[in-house]
Amino acid sequence: MLDDIHGIGHVDAAFRMHNVENTGDHDHIYIFLDDKVFRYYNETLEDGYPKPIQEDFPGMPSRLDAAVECPKTECKADSVLFFKGLDVHVYDIPTKAVKTKTWPHLPGCTSALRWLEHYYCFHGHNFTRFHPVTGEVSGNYPKDARSYFMKCDDHGHGHGYRVPKCNETKLDAITTDDMGKTYFFAGPIYMRLDTARDGLHAFPIARAWKEVASGVDAVFSYMDKMYMIKGDQVYIYKGGAHYTLIDNYPKLVQEELNIEGNVSAAFVCPSEHVAHIIQGPRIRAIDLTATPRAVLQDLPLPLSNIDAAHCSSDGIRLYKGGQYFEYQSPMLLAASKIAPMPHDISPEQFRCEP
């Protein structure tokens, strides 16, 4: 549409204003060309645009190379990083102040991307991951974007990987944090779903939780913390832009939750303070407000060999192999004597093959 209306042929830079809630800019798309900025909402060019860049972003140069938003949870304030050459112009959204930095160690970015709290500078067909405040580059970069951001039959990060059949799918744990992000764990990988629009993406667990890199037995979220159970130990991570292990953890399951034995699955329902711990054919309800923890219920399950469990506003799902069982509430689950009809895991849920 831009090309049809303005005949521009290309753009210099673009970003989505995603995290700023109260300025009227939330979920707007900004596209930059030469000395002009175009602003879109719901794929429609807004009235009054294009405008000079300096009218919307005072102090910004023309003919930019790249731009990316940086929310205050990851930068010092809600900001936009504008790239031109080796200079980075940090635009403070609330104050409209501009601070210019030079990061000579970072290649000249022709595009920039924020994805799952990480920042990527693209240059040629390569990319480099960087820290949005310091520009620091950690790890072995640059890397070939075709190996990570694209699907090619004979080239790339996933080359040789076979997508599992849905009936072969086996989950170890599922949880949804206080920000509404849902995490699925399977062996040494995890998948994260923010929204259906963002999609489901797989990463090594070591990338976010290095202490449990080989996998977990059960996971639940409570009060901005993620509880990961592995063997006889509990690892508690504090939420934020990135999860961090709390001091003095891990601790024994017995010490933290006042139960003994292996844990198969666990869940906490929204706005509740009870952890439901599945151990073989039994489910135990544990009061998370009590110190030490108190076991409120210890009941038999109508199912055995549960792999993972999850509770949301839609109810409870217990996963067993490539199937899951639904219950409307913990009370109905506890009172159930007969297992309900199972549902098959679908390709839409976990990117598996039918």
Side-chain angles (χ1 to χ4, degrees), residues 136-153:
E136 179 184 0
V137 175
S138 300
N140 185 24
Y141 289 96
K143 295 180 179 178
D144 194 323
R146 297 169 296 181
S147 297
Y148 293 84
F149 288 89
M150 304 170 194
K151 293 182 178 179
C152 304
D153 291 337

Side-chain angles (χ1 to χ4, degrees), residues 50-183:
K51 293 180 179 179
I53 292 174
Q54 289 75 17
E55 189 172 329
D56 268 7
F57 300 96
M60 288 302 104
S62 300
R63 296 176 176 80
L64 295 161
D65 293 327
V68 64
E69 182 201 24
C70 185
K72 62 183 178 182
T73 53
E74 297 157 32
C75 279
K76 296 178 180 179
D78 286 325
S79 309
V80 181
L81 309 182
F82 292 96
F83 295 80
K84 184 168 183 176
L86 297 179
D87 289 336
V88 182
H89 305 274
V90 182
Y91 181 85
D92 186 304
I93 296 171
T95 67
K96 299 185 178 182
V98 179
K99 182 178 291 186
T100 300
K101 305 177 181 181
T102 302
W103 293 338
H105 59 282
L106 194 66
C109 305
T110 56
S111 181
L113 172 68
R114 173 184 178 265
W115 187 43
L116 303 183
E117 292 89 43
H118 291 291
Y119 291 78
Y120 300 89
C121 162
F122 290 85
H123 41 99
H125 55 71
N126 292 324
F127 73 96
T128 297
R129 199 175 85 192
F130 66 95
H131 192 285
V133 176
T134 64
E136 179 184 0
V137 175
S138 300
N140 185 24
Y141 289 96
K143 295 180 179 178
D144 194 323
R146 297 169 296 181
S147 297
Y148 293 84
F149 288 89
M150 304 170 194
K151 293 182 178 179
C152 304
D153 291 337
D154 58 354
H155 182 92
H157 183 54
H159 178 51
Y161 170 72
R162 182 181 70 86
V163 177
K165 297 285 188 182
C166 290
N167 60 9
E168 300 172 339
T169 301
K170 183 183 180 302
L171 297 170
D172 295 327
I174 306 175
T175 191
T176 300
D177 66 13
D178 289 354
M179 300 298 292
K181 299 169 184 174
T182 300
Y183 297 84

Side-chain angles (χ1 to χ4, degrees), residues 115-329:
W115 187 43
L116 303 183
E117 292 89 43
H118 291 291
Y119 291 78
Y120 300 89
C121 162
F122 290 85
H123 41 99
H125 55 71
N126 292 324
F127 73 96
T128 297
R129 199 175 85 192
F130 66 95
H131 192 285
V133 176
T134 64
E136 179 184 0
V137 175
S138 300
N140 185 24
Y141 289 96
K143 295 180 179 178
D144 194 323
R146 297 169 296 181
S147 297
Y148 293 84
F149 288 89
M150 304 170 194
K151 293 182 178 179
C152 304
D153 291 337
D154 58 354
H155 182 92
H157 183 54
H159 178 51
Y161 170 72
R162 182 181 70 86
V163 177
K165 297 285 188 182
C166 290
N167 60 9
E168 300 172 339
T169 301
K170 183 183 180 302
L171 297 170
D172 295 327
I174 306 175
T175 191
T176 300
D177 66 13
D178 289 354
M179 300 298 292
K181 299 169 184 174
T182 300
Y183 297 84
F184 307 83
F185 299 86
I189 70 167
Y190 76 95
M191 295 173 285
R192 172 175 141 181
L193 181 66
D194 292 7
T195 67
R197 180 172 67 178
D198 293 328
L200 192 67
H201 304 281
F203 301 97
I205 289 178
R207 170 173 168 170
W209 302 280
K210 62 182 179 181
E211 295 84 3
V212 293
S214 61
V216 295
D217 296 326
V219 178
F220 65 87
S221 297
Y222 177 68
M223 300 291 286
D224 196 33
K225 297 181 180 67
M226 191 175 289
Y227 292 67
M228 292 188 163
I229 302 173
K230 183 180 178 68
D232 63 353
Q233 295 187 312
V234 179
Y235 299 74
I236 302 183
Y237 292 84
K238 181 78 171 78
H242 303 282
Y243 278 92
T244 54
L245 185 65
I246 292 177
D247 290 343
N248 301 319
Y249 281 86
K251 292 182 179 180
L252 293 175
V253 171
Q254 183 177 12
E255 180 183 358
E256 182 64 35
L257 298 176
N258 197 24
I259 57 174
E260 294 182 354
N262 294 330
V263 176
S264 307
F267 64 88
V268 173
C269 292
S271 303
E272 293 191 2
H273 305 279
V274 176
H276 300 272
I277 307 295
I278 297 174
Q279 296 181 284
R282 304 194 69 81
I283 182 168
R284 293 177 168 87
I286 298 175
D287 184 355
L288 295 175
T289 66
T291 304
R293 306 297 192 213
V295 178
L296 303 176
Q297 283 184 322
D298 184 351
L299 299 170
L301 270 178
L303 295 162
S304 59
N305 300 318
I306 296 300
D307 297 323
H310 182 242
C311 185
S312 69
S313 58
D314 296 326
I316 298 165
R317 288 185 176 183
L318 303 184
Y319 290 83
K320 181 177 179 178
Q323 297 181 316
Y324 63 92
F325 303 81
E326 291 186 311
Y327 296 87
Q328 291 184 335
S329 70

